[in-house]
Amino acid sequence: MSVFQKHKKAVIIAAACLVAAAAAAAVCFILFAKSSPAGKYVFYTKENALYILDGKNEKSKKLADTVFENPDDNGERIYTYWLDFCEVTTDGSEVFYPENIADGAFCLCRSGLKSPEAISETVAENITSYAVSGSGKTLFYLDTRGRLFLRENGETLQIMAGVIDFYVNTDLTAAVCLTADGDFYRQNTDGEKEKIDSGVTAVQKAEKNLEYIYYCKGDSLYYVKDGEKPVLVEDNVDEIIKILENGDAYFTKKGESAVLTMMDFVVYDSKTREADEKLVSDPEAKGPDVLEAYLRIFTRDKLESMVYTLDARTLYCYSGKGRDSGAEPVTREFIQYYTCSDKSVIIKSYDKSETGQYTIKEVVDAVDKAGKYREAYNSGKNIYQSEFNSNEYFERFASETFGAYQSGAVAYVVESGIQTRIGDVPAKNYVLTEKGDRVFFVDTAGKSRPGGDLYCVYLEDNLVVKTELYDTDVADDGVEVTGENICYKKDATDSAFSLYINKEPVAQNVSSCLPGSGDSVVFFTGYDDEKQSGTMYVCENGKKEKADDDVCFCAGADSAGNIYYFKNCSENDGSGDFYRFANGKSRMIDSGVSLVLIPGGRTQDRAVHG
């Protein structure tokens, strides 16, 4: 059975808000997946009415006359993504959809799809979210008063009150519910009810079958497996970075930061240090050895007084599957995460190997060269009378050394809390394939031109097998992965670039590109800023095919590979003619279309063009 729930948010293409300046060479996409029959149905709005398109017979049916109670409220209509609440049953016989959306609530309706004359039915009013089984026979829904209802085989029963959030398992036989009082329950459809915990403030992740759940009580993070007692993961949690599909949770703690002094970059062994301290404290000791010991201690004290706090935290990992102890640190100088697969995540961290890169002698020699301490001593002068102000040297040394350290942050791939370095230089971005077996990044260090070298890092069991140069002169902000394809741009200017896929040139003068569905890629050439349109192509399996001219933007692709796009967009509200490209042919679906939702595929943001 399939299941749909409010927590699986879609991204809706909003034509009305995005008639903007055309654009540039940006590569952007948002993946969206739902449980409707793959590649068959598309939802769209026209003049505030909701329609469903049957992709098989290419026929549209009006579902609702009024999607939004206030259609002029663009904030309500565009940015809240209410079409995410459209869902078709697995067999395609019924559709559930919202009507009269206003003030964070809507009327839930259902309609048959087998017959054009099928009558629509109001299921419930003033609801905020719902979850329906693939058959459409089991339904959970939450209303504005916090009442959670279960509707099964036509009968409706209120199962809980005061609910503010809920999650269901895949077959809708159970739900976990959070109340406004912080009580956290598991409720089965057979009537069995179990209290998991109290004082809960937020649910962070509920696995699709409710096998495990992460939740918070204030700043404390908890983990619970189905049928077991909750486990405290960590107190004082600051930010939950990512919880992967395999159950690994990555987070940081409050009050932690990376603190360094300049002595962290200088090696001064303990044996020499003890001898120096003994020598300078001896009133009878004389000669150049005393001066050298003094200079080393003087340098150490100055460098230890130069304290820097990094914008970095300790990254922790907790794996509920197999680790009985608490969360363990991954890296103590974590900066940010980039992307992840089902079981691994790429992070950026300062490179600790860059510390301790100078010896105390090297720094002392530099201090003396600047301050002329030895020269003053050998001429019989007091070394404090030397002409140079040593603070200037130390400030310059600190600025250069610490600045180089900060700019040298590099990336690691982390799996099950174990990190492996994947590059010797920092990159702007890192792209991980869906399988998690390859990482791509662009090295622009030392390059006079805008592009850099594109590298591919091969991974096996979280270990770097090899790193190879994949291509050169690649733009550092234009690498994307779609299916097994690696798409990137070369020879980029402010308005266009050359598109490459898997090292092969595809097209020149490309203004934008975006993954379609599967291994297909959609791209535009000759995009005209004044006309707000260009020529759209589809490339799949190395074959390039022109889709249409004067296309304003691509709305996305369904999982069957059909591409949806807009032409003749209005300058006033952004609505336009809605088209479908399938099997090498284009067909207009409707005119005056504003919003589009593509279940089971990719819904694109108009911002890829501006």
Side-chain angles (χ1 to χ4, degrees), residues 135-351:
S135 66
K137 295 180 179 179
T138 303
L139 173 73
F140 285 90
Y141 63 88
L142 182 66
D143 70 8
T144 54
R145 295 169 59 184
R147 297 178 300 177
L148 182 64
F149 292 87
L150 170 63
R151 176 170 173 153
E152 202 165 24
N153 297 320
E155 297 184 2
T156 302
L157 174 69
Q158 179 182 328
I159 58 175
M160 198 172 299
V163 176
I164 59 174
D165 202 3
F166 76 98
Y167 294 78
V168 297
N169 61 358
T170 305
D171 59 6
L172 260 73
T173 58
V176 290
C177 315
L178 177 62
T179 71
D181 295 330
D183 292 330
F184 194 31
Y185 293 92
R186 181 186 180 97
Q187 174 75 56
N188 295 334
T189 53
D190 61 6
E192 181 182 355
K193 181 178 178 180
E194 174 192 4
K195 187 172 184 179
I196 299 173
D197 209 339
S198 58
V200 176
T201 52
V203 178
Q204 296 298 335
K205 183 178 180 66
E207 192 268 339
K208 62 182 180 181
N209 286 314
L210 303 183
E211 291 182 1
Y212 69 82
I213 301 169
Y214 282 95
Y215 62 91
C216 286
K217 298 171 66 172
D219 295 334
S220 299
L221 179 64
Y222 286 79
Y223 170 89
V224 61
K225 291 185 69 173
D226 184 21
E228 299 183 6
K229 293 182 178 180
V231 175
L232 173 63
V233 175
E234 196 70 58
D235 286 319
N236 206 31
V237 172
D238 180 31
E239 180 182 3
I240 297 173
I241 303 300
K242 197 71 176 178
I243 299 176
L244 303 184
E245 291 302 318
N246 67 354
D248 288 351
Y250 293 89
F251 60 91
T252 60
K253 295 174 64 175
K254 293 180 180 291
E256 291 192 340
S257 58
V259 179
L260 294 175
T261 75
M262 290 312 300
M263 270 305 293
D264 285 310
F265 299 92
V266 179
V267 177
Y268 186 13
D269 66 272
S270 58
K271 185 176 180 180
T272 304
R273 181 180 303 193
E274 292 174 1
D276 288 346
E277 291 175 347
K278 182 177 180 180
L279 192 60
V280 298
S281 63
D282 184 357
E284 303 297 327
K286 297 179 181 179
D289 289 345
V290 179
L291 173 64
E292 296 301 322
Y294 168 77
L295 288 177
R296 286 191 287 268
I297 292 176
F298 168 75
T299 300
R300 178 203 65 185
D301 291 345
K302 289 290 293 184
L303 294 179
E304 284 185 341
S305 68
M306 307 181 86
V307 181
Y308 291 84
T309 301
L310 295 171
D311 181 19
R313 301 148 291 171
T314 299
L315 179 67
Y316 293 88
C317 174
Y318 177 80
S319 176
K321 298 180 179 180
R323 183 177 299 159
D324 295 329
S325 59
E328 297 187 5
V330 176
T331 175
R332 297 191 181 280
E333 292 167 17
F334 162 73
I335 303 175
Q336 64 187 108
Y337 88 93
Y338 285 88
T339 183
C340 66
S341 66
D342 287 344
K343 61 179 182 178
S344 59
V345 61
I346 294 178
I347 67 168
K348 191 174 183 181
S349 180
Y350 291 122
D351 183 12

